[in-house]
Amino acid sequence: TVDLLTLGETMAALRGTGPLRLGGDLRLSIAGAESNVAIGLARLGHAARWVGRVGDDELGALVLRTLRAESVDVSAAVVAPGELTGMLLFDRAPGGTPRAHYRRAGCAAARLAPADVSAAVALGARVLHVTGITPALGEDPAAAVRYAVEAGRAAGATVCLDVNHRPKLWPRERASAVLRPLAAGAHLVVASEDELPLVCDGPDEAARARALLDLGVREVVVKRGTRGASAYTGTGRHDEPARAVTVVDTVGAGDAFTAGYLSAFLDGLPVPERLRRGVILGAAAVAAHGDWEGLPTRAELDHIGGSPDATLR
Ligand code: ATP
């Protein structure tokens, strides 16, 4: 039994400094919301396993090699003969806003099916983490997520769903229809402020969180960017402000936050401490280039987490 099992698409990520149309240098790494969380947990010393599908190409090898180097178990990952690994290009629009350009349609991960994840689920995990990105990739990946959530729950795993709506992959209405039952079957639901209405109804945030708690969700966690994060539980609401940070690259903050939250959950810490570790990891992701490169080890966590008033650089 690992601490965390997660599944999803991890792609090769190319990062440029200006608009892509101007050409220039690109830096090659990997990106995937779920594997970002797995890396965050592995760096903090938890046993993390990622399962997914990559092509039998150089980029698939890069994905697996990088995850392995970060001590994420990829022994259950599928390498699909003759298929391609997806790609993501990041650039900056004039003005500096980060943009993501996907080359993922028809790639190996879009065919992730329940049979690809069943062995990993059977091996057991304390926490099963899924996101709303995977079901947006197609019918098979949606079925794989549903299967993992049901089987993981039945085996006693704590199920965490990060709503993670990707408007480029599907419209709100379709995302909402597919993600609502997944949220209802999760123990922890993580969403940014604007995503919460996708998975539950209510006149305001507190009412929406209450609606999920009434369905059996134990913790509803809301991310608020520079305004920190909150958690709603059966006993009330907890808030944690964001840590001050010199912003380098905001992409990956949400996944880092989730990794911090789940790490403290796995350590048996109470909800306010889970939020606290979440905002520390969120700040660490924002302070560094890349989605996961800036995440701390356990020793570094103690160092950067020490003073809530200090600015991370
Ligand atoms: P993304 O999709 O870009 O990963 P998100 O919308 O899922 O982000 P955010 O709410 O932006 O998630 O970020 C998650 C957490 O990271 C926040 O709750 C906050 O604690 C931290 N964070 C994000 N941006 C900043 C920032 N500029 N300064 C400090 N902390 C930040």
Side-chain angles (χ1 to χ4, degrees):
T1 299
V2 287
D3 294 322
L4 176 102
L5 170 64
T6 190
L7 55 130
E9 177 169 30
T10 299
M11 293 170 283
L14 285 155
R15 276 194 171 72
T17 47
L20 281 176
R21 72 184 73 161
L22 296 183
D25 294 332
L26 294 170
R27 205 172 53 84
L28 179 60
S29 183
I30 66 163
E34 303 82 7
S35 58
N36 290 344
V37 173
I39 290 171
L41 283 159
R43 286 212 176 163
L44 293 176
H46 303 280
R49 175 175 288 140
W50 174 86
V51 59
R53 246 169 145 263
V54 295
D56 64 344
D57 50 9
E58 281 295 302
L59 299 182
L62 171 74
V63 165
L64 297 184
R65 183 178 190 273
T66 307
L67 292 178
R68 239 180 251 124
E70 291 295 333
S71 301
V72 174
D73 181 311
V74 292
S75 56
V78 177
V79 180
E83 295 183 29
L84 294 173
T85 304
M87 234 172 23
L88 171 59
L89 296 116
F90 287 108
D91 74 347
R92 289 186 186 269
T97 314
R99 292 188 297 204
H101 311 266
Y102 298 123
R103 292 288 181 280
R104 74 202 304 182
C107 289
R111 295 191 188 89
L112 183 77
D116 294 324
V117 303
S118 56
V121 175
L123 287 171
R126 290 174 62 198
V127 171
L128 172 75
H129 176 64
V130 297
T131 79
I133 300 171
T134 314
L137 302 177
E139 284 306 320
D140 285 345
V145 171
R146 274 194 296 272
Y147 168 82
V149 166
E150 276 161 33
R153 240 189 114 93
T158 297
V159 175
C160 177
L161 169 75
D162 185 336
V163 174
N164 243 327
H165 177 52
R166 290 286 184 270
K168 279 187 184 170
L169 297 182
W170 53 355
R172 275 186 90 87
E173 305 69 47
R174 210 148 60 76
S176 177
V178 172
L179 296 180
R180 271 171 194 255
L182 282 176
H187 299 103
L188 312 180
V189 172
V190 181
S192 51
E193 283 175 307
D194 57 329
E195 287 170 344
L196 199 59
L198 275 176
V199 290
C200 48
D201 300 314
D204 55 30
E205 185 182 284
R208 286 192 278 272
R210 168 55 53 195
L212 282 176
L213 295 173
D214 287 345
L215 290 172
V217 175
R218 289 189 212 137
E219 289 158 43
V220 179
V221 184
V222 182
K223 298 173 289 185
R224 308 184 196 283
T226 54
R227 284 174 295 108
S230 308
Y232 296 87
T233 69
T235 56
R237 169 178 166 162
H238 305 268
D239 297 304
E240 184 70 25
R243 292 292 185 272
V245 68
T246 306
V247 177
V248 173
D249 175 2
T250 56
V251 180
D255 303 329
F257 170 87
T258 301
Y261 193 93
L262 290 176
S263 165
F265 170 85
L266 285 162
D267 284 350
L269 297 174
V271 169
E273 291 298 316
R274 299 176 196 172
L275 286 170
R276 186 164 169 272
R277 195 172 291 177
V279 301
I280 291 170
L281 256 67
V286 165
H289 287 288
D291 288 17
W292 51 267
E293 282 84 341
L295 298 181
T297 62
R298 182 67 74 150
E300 289 162 348
L301 174 70
D302 295 339
H303 182 63
I304 63 173
S307 150
D309 301 325
T311 299
L312 265 78
R313 288 175 209 286

